[in-house]
Amino acid sequence: GGRMEVLEEKEEEEQREEEELKALEISDKLQDVETKVSMEQVCVPSDVPDFDWSSIDTSQLPSSYKTNSLKEKKLLHIADHFLQQYTHLCPDRNPLFLHPVNECGVEKFVSTTVRPTLLPYTELYHWDGCASFVSDYLIMEPLKSPVTLPSSLYSPTTILKYQRGNCFDFSVLLCSMLIGAGYDAYCVHGYATRKICTLDETLELCPLLRKPQEVPKEMTKSSNKYRVKPPPDLQSKFELQQEARKKAETEAAQKNKERQEEVTEVEKPKGDPLYGLRVHAWVLVLSGKREVPETFFINPFTGNSHSTMDEHFLGIESVWNHRNYWVNMQDCRNGCRDLIFDLGDAIRWEIMLSGSNKPIQPLPDAEEEKELSDGDMDDMEKEEEDMSFDMPPSWVAPIQVSPREFETRCSQGRKVILYKKAKLEKWAPYLNGNGLVKRLTIYADLDCTEVVEVREWFKNREDMLDMREVNKKTQLTTEYFSPGHLFSLKAHTYTSLEPETEHTMEFYNEARVDGLQKRVENANEMTEYFVGRDDFLHVRHMEFGKRGKKIHLAGTRTDINSRPIVQIKECFHRNLEKPADEDVAERIFLITEEMIHLTYHLKDKYITASKKDFFKAAERDRKGNEIVMTPEMCITYQAGSSEKDKKLLHLYKLLQELTEEEKQLKQQVQQSEAEVLNILKIRENEETAVKLSVSIYNTERNEKRRQQYEAMKHTMEDELPGQEEQDLDYLAPFLIQIGHREKMTKGQALRVRDDCLADFKHRLIDKANIIQARFEKAVEELQKKDQWFQENQNQLSAEEEDDFLARYSETTFHIHILALRLNREKQTAPQKYLALEEKLRKDPRLAEHLRHA
């Protein structure tokens, strides 16, 4: 039996050796691939200039960067102990990222490198603001080897100072900001695809071009209990399902094939030899805190959020925050798709410091406890003591971002990102003279040669321009404005700023007196749309004729060059205060034909509307413009009545009113034309000389305000004497009495000093006496009021009593204040007297005589 066991052991040892050899071969192969890839990466040209981290100055850094405290040393010891157990239990797993060296070459545990910080910018109170700031502010540096962990992890303060870092640096900074803003955030060490690790977004759709997903509306079924029930369906549902499945599969295969044919070779991502081995760090945000509904990932390079099911994230080794470190014990064969992020689950997540989050669970049965020997108990207590160790505070100095740095964002103030068929450029505010802060160029092809559309975003413009879209195919430009433009412009679409070409202008109608919402104009027409008018007008449409020859007629006041108006049509909403057949719905002024058409609103239960047509030209007097009204001049149709309205007077008055309105309308149309010309002229001026507005709180850029302030300061300094001169010369009145002499005798100096002190003492006493007198007078008044109230209390009404009590409390308050002042005066008088005595002793004019006095 013993011999058999020895043989088995030998066989096991041989097997073990074989496995180890295989593992060594695999690792050698991997190392070969690594060297190839690192060689590839060196060959790849990069627009990011190389930065020598070894040249950074660490002499000014705080002592916490250069040494470890006792608690930190103990933590490193615990971490090493934890790593030993981990490598023993999981020999096939990759090493953990526990305590890399910092910029000073000192080993620091990764959790202590996280420094929770809330920066004082409203944008950074939310995760997306933090993520976009980090992705814009830092320059991405790839890991030295894509499949191995970095040997160092620098502090977030150093990373911010030099504005660059690898994925671990990005994640630690972002995680610090998110925890500071109240999120349940963690740094993640794991594996991701090449696209994520190398920040290659050339096959990604730009986030600005992604359409929001439409939620399909569910068809509401109208239930009717009296409806005839359909006959029962006698077909096999299983067979139908099978057929449908086969059909769907064939269709999907067909579509896939078509799609693959469509996708060009350029667009296909090349196979990655390191798929699943590329090391990456990102941020995990758990649901719960800050009302986060669902756990998600943030890729710190882009600032975009991703679902935990995203196929680009291929596995997680460990996660950590400022309090603890967890190792993932779940299977990552399907990437992160099946992972459960319940960090309290000790089976799925191996925690390093169990005492810092939750107390150690007691043993389930008391009997088991009895069975343990004393020696075992001692070991357990020792281990428990080790485990219930609190994370030391972060060694990192407070993270700070100045307003200037926050505003400038991108390194050198500019950043370019290439997407699939698009290019996004970002600039710092005020960097461009025209206020441009963002530009998206959309291309028709993958090589980005043929431009389809350009979108530009602006900030701080005095003309309130927010965004401009230029369609390169139609040459159509659309500009969007914030509220506050001189003409209340909201949007302006045009092909050129020349007048009488096609223009569409939208306005903030609330800011306009006439309620104009939109004006559309071309060479022959103009249409205006109104909102919320008292006269219920909502559309006015004007048609223009072609200009005649330029002949200046004597005596004519109209501008010969303006376009002749052919027709004006107005549409009105219903005015409920009038009957429908008296409320005009539409009126058309045919100016060249001298006709006016009125159409009224429909009456209830009628399908035809009442109408009136006036023909002015019919009976025009040859000599004058006096209208003689005849029945032929007006054709009336009254809905629901066969009789014609024979009252000519009523029609005559209506025609007179309409003729007057026509004159006013012509003026209104000319004003509209003039306004269009004015807007175009002003827009042209605004574009040729762009002015940027600066906040009055922006002390650096507001040159005008600074000059005003400097000028004001100088005038103040000129007008007001210095502080020394402002203090009254307390010796002047006494020096006048003896005449301003250069030298004084000792007797004169003593007399001046005594006179000054005596005068000051009298003033102090007088002041106290005045306050005393006022105090006594107020007390006397209070007593009189009290006596009067006692005598007349029964005859007073409630109002009079309230009034008296108010005045009484006012007097008592006044007395209280006087008492306080008197008390203070008595207390401070001796101190004031002594202070003056000291001043006189040091006064250069008296000093030499009073030195021994």
Side-chain angles (χ1 to χ4, degrees):
R3 201 178 292 163
M4 284 291 286
E5 280 172 17
V6 170
L7 281 169
E8 277 172 13
E9 276 176 23
K10 272 190 179 178
E11 274 176 29
E12 276 175 20
E13 264 178 44
E14 280 169 19
Q15 274 182 336
R16 226 178 278 144
E17 278 171 20
E18 270 178 43
E19 278 171 15
E20 277 173 20
L21 280 167
K22 274 182 193 171
L24 280 169
E25 277 172 31
I26 291 166
S27 66
D28 286 346
K29 278 180 190 172
L30 265 179
Q31 276 180 333
D32 292 345
V33 175
E34 262 182 59
T35 48
K36 275 182 196 170
V37 169
S38 54
M39 288 299 285
E40 276 174 17
Q41 284 207 332
V42 171
C43 302
V44 172
S46 171
D47 60 337
V48 177
D50 283 333
F51 181 76
D52 183 14
W53 280 105
S54 60
S55 67
I56 67 167
D57 177 28
T58 57
S59 59
Q60 301 299 313
L61 294 172
S63 60
S64 64
Y65 284 58
K66 297 168 186 173
T67 55
N68 273 323
S69 66
L70 286 170
K71 207 169 182 189
E72 282 179 295
K73 283 175 185 168
K74 188 179 177 188
L75 176 65
L76 292 175
H77 178 71
I78 292 170
D80 283 332
H81 183 63
F82 180 78
L83 189 61
Q84 272 179 351
Q85 289 181 317
Y86 174 74
T87 45
H88 177 70
L89 293 167
C90 314
D92 54 338
R93 294 240 338 224
N94 284 342
L96 291 176
F97 192 59
L98 282 170
H99 43 68
V101 294
N102 69 358
E103 53 268 50
C104 300
V106 178
E107 279 192 2
K108 294 283 183 182
F109 189 70
V110 285
S111 290
T112 59
T113 311
V114 177
R115 172 79 194 235
T117 306
L118 177 62
L119 289 164
Y121 306 102
T122 45
E123 206 178 307
L124 303 185
Y125 292 174
H126 301 279
W127 75 262
D128 46 355
C130 292
S132 68
F133 171 75
V134 170
S135 66
D136 284 347
Y137 194 76
L138 303 182
I139 295 171
M140 173 264 190
E141 286 185 347
L143 294 170
K144 285 193 178 98
S145 160
V147 294
T148 49
L149 286 164
S151 56
S152 58
L153 180 67
Y154 292 176
S155 66
T157 51
T158 301
I159 295 303
L160 278 171
K161 186 179 176 183
Y162 297 103
Q163 276 188 266
R164 53 184 61 243
N166 59 40
C167 52
F168 286 89
D169 300 320
F170 271 70
S171 301
V172 169
L173 174 60
L174 178 54
C175 194
S176 301
M177 289 166 69
L178 292 176
I179 294 171
Y183 288 94
D184 192 9
Y186 302 82
C187 296
V188 180
H189 156 217
Y191 306 94
T193 57
R194 178 167 54 192
K195 189 187 87 175
I196 295 274
C197 296
T198 57
L199 184 54
D200 178 13
E201 294 187 275
T202 49
L203 297 179
E204 276 290 297
L205 188 65
C206 177
L208 294 168
L209 296 173
R210 284 182 200 142
K211 287 172 185 165
Q213 289 181 335
E214 284 183 17
V215 180
K217 289 180 182 174
E218 286 182 20
M219 295 294 285
T220 50
K221 290 178 183 176
S222 55
S223 60
N224 186 353
K225 63 177 180 179
Y226 299 112
R227 198 176 48 201
V228 179
K229 285 176 184 168
D233 186 11
L234 301 172
Q235 269 184 303
S236 161
K237 283 182 185 170
F238 178 73
E239 281 176 19
L240 285 171
Q241 277 175 357
Q242 292 297 95
E243 274 176 41
R245 190 178 290 166
K246 276 180 190 171
K247 196 178 176 186
E249 277 172 13
T250 50
E251 275 178 15
Q254 188 65 29
K255 273 185 187 172
N256 220 0
K257 200 177 176 186
E258 283 169 17
R259 202 178 292 138
Q260 278 172 351
E261 282 168 11
E262 275 174 31
V263 175
T264 56
E265 283 303 312
V266 185
E267 205 173 324
K268 275 186 190 173
K270 292 161 192 157
D272 183 10
L274 293 181
Y275 183 83
L277 299 171
R278 287 180 186 273
V279 171
H280 189 55
W282 64 92
V283 173
L284 160 73
V285 181
L286 292 186
S287 59
K289 273 192 181 180
R290 282 297 303 267
E291 295 176 10
V292 173
E294 210 172 312
T295 299
F296 65 95
F297 294 149
I298 303 172
N299 180 12
F301 284 163
T302 60
N304 297 337
S305 65
H306 296 263
S307 159
T308 54
M309 318 285 257
D310 195 312
E311 58 195 13
H312 293 295
F313 296 92
L314 306 173
I316 291 177
E317 285 285 355
S318 60
V319 303
W320 68 91
N321 64 3
H322 60 305
R323 290 217 174 94
N324 221 323
Y325 191 95
W326 293 263
V327 181
N328 176 30
M329 304 308 284
Q330 299 168 78
D331 188 1
C332 290
R333 261 174 269 180
N334 283 345
C336 300
R337 217 166 289 171
D338 307 331
L339 295 188
I340 291 166
F341 293 95
D342 173 15
L343 298 180
D345 186 337
I347 295 160
R348 291 192 173 96
W349 294 93
E350 189 64 56
I351 194 165
M352 200 182 93
L353 304 177
S354 58
S356 67
N357 263 27
K358 287 175 187 172
I360 292 221
Q361 295 296 318
L363 286 167
D365 291 324
E367 289 164 26
E368 282 182 36
E369 213 171 290
K370 281 176 196 169
E371 283 170 25
L372 287 167
S373 68
D374 291 346
D376 287 349
M377 282 300 283
D378 289 347
D379 287 349
M380 273 198 70
E381 275 169 24
K382 206 175 185 184
E383 201 172 305
E384 220 172 280
E385 210 174 282
D386 261 9
M387 298 298 268
S388 62
F389 170 83
D390 274 340
M391 186 69 69
S394 178
W395 55 273
V396 179
I399 296 171
Q400 288 167 336
V401 176
S402 70
R404 188 67 185 267
E405 288 168 337
F406 178 69
E407 190 189 68
T408 309
R409 284 292 177 94
C410 321
S411 181
Q412 285 85 46
R414 181 171 184 251
K415 185 173 185 179
V416 182
I417 309 166
L418 297 173
Y419 291 102
K420 178 181 169 182
K421 297 185 184 178
K423 178 173 78 175
L424 180 64
E425 296 160 279
K426 293 178 183 181
W427 290 271
Y430 300 103
L431 193 70
N432 293 319
N434 61 350
L436 182 67
V437 290
K438 195 158 66 173
R439 176 165 58 211
L440 176 68
T441 313
I442 302 160
Y443 299 94
D445 56 333
L446 283 163
D447 296 331
C448 297
T449 52
E450 191 190 332
V451 180
V452 177
E453 191 183 337
V454 178
R455 295 181 197 171
E456 295 176 321
W457 285 264
F458 301 88
K459 254 186 189 175
N460 309 306
R461 293 222 352 182
E462 276 193 7
D463 59 7
M464 311 310 285
L465 180 66
D466 251 355
M467 185 195 170
R468 183 187 287 131
E469 286 179 2
V470 182
N471 189 322
K472 294 288 180 183
K473 286 183 176 174
T474 59
Q475 294 303 316
L476 207 65
T477 303
T478 307
E479 296 173 333
Y480 300 92
F481 299 82
S482 293
H485 189 270
L486 185 64
F487 287 98
S488 308
L489 260 183
K490 189 178 189 177
H492 182 200
T493 306
Y494 59 92
T495 45
S496 93
L497 285 171
E498 287 298 309
E500 291 173 34
T501 54
E502 285 200 20
H503 291 278
T504 301
M505 295 177 186
E506 286 181 47
F507 301 89
Y508 289 99
N509 55 280
E510 308 88 352
R512 287 185 65 105
V513 181
D514 57 358
L516 180 65
Q517 190 183 37
K518 191 163 88 167
R519 185 183 280 136
V520 183
E521 188 203 27
N522 59 27
N524 306 318
E525 290 180 326
M526 186 194 283
T527 311
E528 295 178 326
Y529 300 87
F530 301 89
V531 171
R533 278 177 68 117
D534 295 340
D535 59 359
F536 298 93
L537 174 71
H538 67 97
V539 178
R540 184 187 287 142
H541 177 76
M542 291 76 86
E543 283 180 26
F544 302 100
K546 285 178 181 165
R547 284 188 173 81
K549 288 175 185 176
K550 282 191 185 180
I551 309 163
H552 189 73
L553 300 170
T556 55
R557 288 181 65 197
T558 53
D559 180 9
I560 298 298
N561 203 22
S562 69
R563 294 176 288 179
I565 304 164
V566 175
Q567 175 185 324
I568 303 171
K569 174 183 169 183
E570 292 188 313
C571 302
F572 299 85
H573 286 307
R574 178 84 173 86
N575 179 2
L576 296 168
E577 289 175 13
K578 290 181 182 178
D581 55 356
E582 287 177 30
D583 183 18
V584 177
E586 184 183 279
R587 61 182 187 188
I588 303 169
F589 296 91
L590 295 162
I591 287 155
T592 46
E593 295 170 36
E594 297 209 334
M595 288 164 67
I596 302 170
H597 296 296
L598 299 183
T599 307
Y600 293 86
H601 281 282
L602 279 172
K603 286 202 287 184
D604 281 349
K605 298 173 187 173
Y606 278 79
I607 57 165
T608 53
S610 302
K611 289 185 181 184
K612 282 190 178 75
D613 295 345
F614 291 94
F615 304 92
K616 287 195 291 181
E619 293 294 324
R620 170 80 42 107
D621 206 345
R622 282 181 191 175
K623 290 173 188 174
N625 279 339
E626 192 64 41
I627 299 169
V628 181
M629 193 72 186
T630 61
E632 290 79 38
M633 284 171 69
C634 177
I635 295 171
T636 308
Y637 163 67
Q638 196 71 24
S641 166
S642 57
E643 287 182 40
K644 284 187 180 178
D645 192 353
K646 289 175 185 177
K647 288 179 185 172
L648 285 178
L649 182 66
H650 175 66
L651 294 173
Y652 177 67
K653 279 184 178 174
L654 182 60
L655 182 56
Q656 272 187 323
E657 277 172 30
L658 290 169
T659 313
E660 189 56 42
E661 279 191 33
E662 191 180 301
K663 269 188 205 170
Q664 287 173 2
L665 270 177
K666 282 180 187 173
Q667 285 178 354
Q668 186 65 53
V669 172
Q670 281 167 0
Q671 278 173 14
S672 291
E673 283 186 281
E675 187 178 272
V676 169
L677 292 174
N678 205 355
I679 290 173
L680 294 176
K681 188 180 165 189
I682 280 173
R683 282 298 301 126
E684 210 167 326
N685 294 344
E686 284 171 346
E687 282 305 324
T688 47
V690 175
K691 287 181 185 171
L692 298 182
S693 59
V694 179
S695 163
I696 57 167
Y697 302 110
N698 192 331
T699 48
E700 285 180 43
R701 287 200 183 83
N702 208 327
E703 197 58 41
K704 188 178 162 190
R705 293 272 169 190
R706 206 176 66 196
Q707 285 168 358
Q708 281 178 0
Y709 178 70
E710 293 287 326
M712 192 176 79
K713 219 162 118 180
H714 288 310
T715 52
M716 289 283 282
E717 279 169 12
D718 295 345
E719 284 172 20
L720 295 169
Q723 191 60 39
E724 293 80 18
E725 294 166 36
Q726 264 186 333
D727 288 339
L728 291 171
D729 184 2
Y730 37 81
L731 280 179
F734 306 101
L735 289 172
I736 287 169
Q737 291 171 15
I738 61 161
H740 283 286
R741 294 175 187 175
E742 288 295 314
K743 288 272 181 182
M744 274 190 283
T745 62
K746 189 175 179 181
Q748 284 173 328
L750 283 167
R751 197 171 82 227
V752 167
R753 200 261 322 246
D754 293 342
D755 287 352
C756 184
L757 285 171
D759 188 66
F760 186 62
K761 190 176 181 181
H762 284 304
R763 280 179 61 208
L764 287 172
I765 292 163
D766 288 347
K767 194 176 177 184
N769 287 340
I770 290 165
I771 297 170
Q772 181 75 42
R774 283 183 185 167
F775 176 72
E776 285 166 5
K777 192 181 175 186
V779 169
E780 200 180 317
E781 272 182 29
L782 190 71
Q783 284 170 350
K784 281 180 184 173
K785 281 182 183 175
D786 214 6
Q787 195 180 338
W788 179 86
F789 185 67
Q790 297 293 337
E791 290 167 5
N792 302 314
Q793 192 174 3
N794 300 328
Q795 288 123 33
L796 291 175
S797 67
E799 281 177 21
E800 285 171 330
E801 196 170 317
D802 288 346
D803 184 46
F804 171 80
L805 288 169
R807 279 185 286 127
Y808 186 84
S809 62
E810 208 174 284
T811 313
T812 52
F813 180 69
H814 183 53
I815 288 170
H816 179 65
I817 295 295
L818 284 169
L820 285 172
R821 280 183 64 193
L822 187 64
N823 196 23
R824 192 181 64 199
E825 207 59 45
K826 283 176 182 173
Q827 281 174 352
T828 57
Q831 292 164 3
K832 286 179 185 173
Y833 184 81
L834 289 169
L836 181 63
E837 200 169 25
E838 189 64 31
K839 269 185 183 177
L840 291 172
R841 184 169 288 168
K842 288 177 182 173
D843 193 295
R845 290 163 294 187
L846 308 174
E848 61 178 300
H849 299 302
L850 301 181
R851 198 171 292 134
H852 309 294

